[in-house]
Amino acid sequence: NAGVTQTPKFRVLKTGQSMTLLCAQDMNHEYMYWYRQDPGMGLRLIHYSVGEGTTAKGEVPDGYNVSRLKKQNFLLGLESAAPSQTSVYFCASSYVSNGGEEGYTQPQHFGDGTRLSIL
Amino acid sequence: GQNIDQPTEMTATEGAIVQINCTYQTSGFNGLFWYQQHAGEAPTFLSYNVLDGLEEKGRFSSFLSRSKGYSYLLLKELQMKDSASYLCAVLDSNYQLIWGAGTKLIIKP
């Protein structure tokens, strides 16, 4: 019963370095999301995916890229890390029943988060 | 713009009842979620409301008034383990979740 697994859990980067955050889910969910959570602010959607091979931009996509090559995995990349990207990153997934509106009302299941510091 | 407002912090006593309010202004409405988040952990789903009224789940209840853009989460018989942040989120017309900043609930013995 792993659910949603994120790796790594912690990472410290220097400005300009690149890295990839991995999210894996074993619930056969269609939808996957990447959020960032900063103090005093709500979760903000970076990118999301409605199925294998498809991705879309969320509220704060700049500086990030994503890929969904396999249904169970959703990767978040930082090409050139900046101090403003210091945050806690959460991956989430949700179920789609027969597609369409009903799928969107299913609760999202979250991973434990990745705490990323950019120096 | 879209906006979700919740109190930043609330304090309550073990065994008591607390009500956490959430008001929203969003482009469209397709339901409202409440999540619980313990410090350093992931958010976990508590409740979903799409129609007006009260939904009860054990010690937790959630209320929605769409005409007022208002919801509350009611926690009864508070326990120390209920100390956490409570996040309100609205599904907008694009079926994107818009999140409030969360309410940190402190339970005192």
Side-chain angles (χ1 to χ4, degrees):
Chain A
N1 294 332
V4 180
T5 303
Q6 291 183 233
T7 53
K9 296 191 185 306
F10 303 94
R11 186 72 185 267
V12 177
L13 290 178
K14 294 181 179 179
T15 297
Q17 287 185 317
S18 63
M19 79 162 295
T20 301
L21 281 66
L22 173 63
C23 176
Q25 53 94 4
D26 62 2
M27 297 174 282
N28 202 35
H29 285 168
E30 290 288 339
Y31 290 77
M32 296 188 74
Y33 314 82
W34 275 108
Y35 290 96
R36 59 179 290 172
Q37 187 175 42
D38 301 294
M41 301 181 72
L43 287 160
R44 291 184 291 169
L45 184 65
I46 304 171
H47 287 279
Y48 65 100
S49 168
V50 299
E52 181 179 322
T54 70
T55 63
K57 293 180 180 180
E59 179 187 356
V60 289
D62 293 342
Y64 306 94
N65 57 74
V66 288
S67 63
R68 183 103 181 266
L69 298 179
K70 293 183 179 181
K71 184 178 183 179
Q72 63 268 33
N73 295 337
F74 195 28
L75 278 63
L76 178 71
L78 284 72
E79 296 173 340
S80 179
S84 61
Q85 294 177 304
T86 293
S87 187
V88 180
Y89 291 86
F90 284 101
C91 175
S93 69
S94 64
Y95 175 66
V96 175
S97 54
N98 295 317
E101 297 178 7
E102 191 173 337
Y104 290 97
T105 63
Q106 299 295 320
Q108 295 180 13
H109 300 262
F110 285 80
D112 288 337
T114 296
R115 283 145 188 82
L116 184 62
S117 293
I118 316 293
L119 303 178
Chain B
Q2 308 205 86
N3 196 47
I4 310 270
D5 284 321
Q6 310 178 230
T8 303
E9 187 175 297
M10 298 181 70
T11 302
T13 304
E14 190 177 14
I17 299 172
V18 71
Q19 178 176 309
I20 302 174
N21 295 326
C22 171
T23 58
Y24 62 88
Q25 289 179 309
T26 56
S27 56
F29 178 84
N30 284 297
L32 185 145
F33 290 85
W34 282 98
Y35 278 78
Q36 180 190 59
Q37 186 178 23
H38 286 100
E41 297 184 7
T44 55
F45 169 72
L46 288 177
S47 67
Y48 171 71
N49 294 69
V50 67
L51 300 176
D52 291 350
L54 188 67
E55 295 276 345
E56 296 187 74
K57 274 188 182 181
R59 293 189 301 114
F60 291 8
S61 302
S62 56
F63 171 83
L64 175 67
S65 169
R66 288 172 296 171
S67 62
K68 295 182 179 179
Y70 168 70
S71 174
Y72 67 73
L73 182 69
L74 191 71
L75 290 74
K76 302 176 184 177
E77 301 170 13
L78 285 170
Q79 303 175 8
M80 296 305 293
K81 67 178 182 180
D82 297 330
S83 291
S85 289
Y86 291 86
L87 313 180
C88 173
V90 172
L91 205 58
D92 72 6
S93 57
N94 294 319
Y95 292 92
Q96 296 294 331
L97 270 180
I98 309 301
W99 295 82
T103 299
K104 182 178 180 180
L105 178 62
I106 300 168
I107 310 296
K108 295 186 174 181

